[in-house]
């Protein structure tokens, strides 16, 4: 199964918090698909545990799919001009040089 066939779009790039909220929209079959994919690919311990717990909750009747859309927007993942997803990037704070000079040419000590 390729990542394009998974029930959650862009699953491989989702952080744990997003997976946790979006997996609630899936039934047993969808959760099982994700669990099989996770075990055979990244095998992230926290994600496997989350999916296993959700599967147990669905099987015992403690939980039901929420009915939301698993294909909703993912603001935590941005898409480039070609449609390829990339994790959101954060920018570094501006670099303010020290008042006595610039980092590549610092002030000389007094003699």
């Amino acid at each position: 199964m390729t990542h394009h066939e998974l029930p959650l779009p862009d699953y491989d790039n989702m952080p744990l918090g997003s997976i946790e909220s979006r997996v609630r929209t899936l039934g047993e079959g969808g959760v099982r698909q994700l669990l099989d994919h996770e075990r055979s690919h990244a095998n992230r311990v926290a994600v496997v545990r989350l999916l296993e717990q959700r599967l147990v909750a669905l099987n015992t009747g403690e939980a039901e799919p929420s009915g939301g859309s698993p294909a909703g927007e993912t603001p935590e993942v941005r898409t480039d001009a070609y449609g390829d997803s990339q994790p959101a990037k954060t920018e570094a704070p501006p670099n303010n040089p020290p008042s006595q000079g610039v980092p590549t040419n610092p002030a000389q000590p007094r003699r």
Side-chain angles (χ1 to χ4, degrees), residues 2 6-7 11 15 20-21 26-27 32 36-37 41 45 53 61 64 70 79 82 92 94 98 103:
T2 67
L6 294 172
Y11 167 80
E20 184 175 13
S21 63
L26 303 175
R32 191 170 302 283
D36 292 343
H37 176 79
H41 289 86
V45 174
Q53 290 172 350
E64 292 183 12
T79 314
Y82 302 103

Side-chain angles (χ1 to χ4, degrees), residues 28-49:
E28 180 184 345
V31 176
R32 191 170 302 283
Q33 264 186 306
L34 291 179
L35 184 57
D36 292 343
H37 176 79
E38 184 65 36
R39 285 179 174 155
S40 64
H41 289 86
N43 203 22
R44 298 171 284 184
V45 174
V47 175
V48 169
R49 184 177 304 130

Side-chain angles (χ1 to χ4, degrees), residues 7-8 14 16-28 30-31 34 50-51 53-55 57-58 62-70:
L8 293 181
M14 281 186 187
L16 179 63
S18 293
I19 294 171
E20 184 175 13
S21 63
R22 290 175 182 273
V23 78
R24 293 180 185 142
T25 64
L26 303 175
E28 180 184 345
V31 176
L34 291 179
L50 169 79
L51 294 172
Q53 290 172 350
R54 181 65 182 174
L55 201 54
L58 288 168
E62 293 177 34
E64 292 183 12
S66 67
S69 172

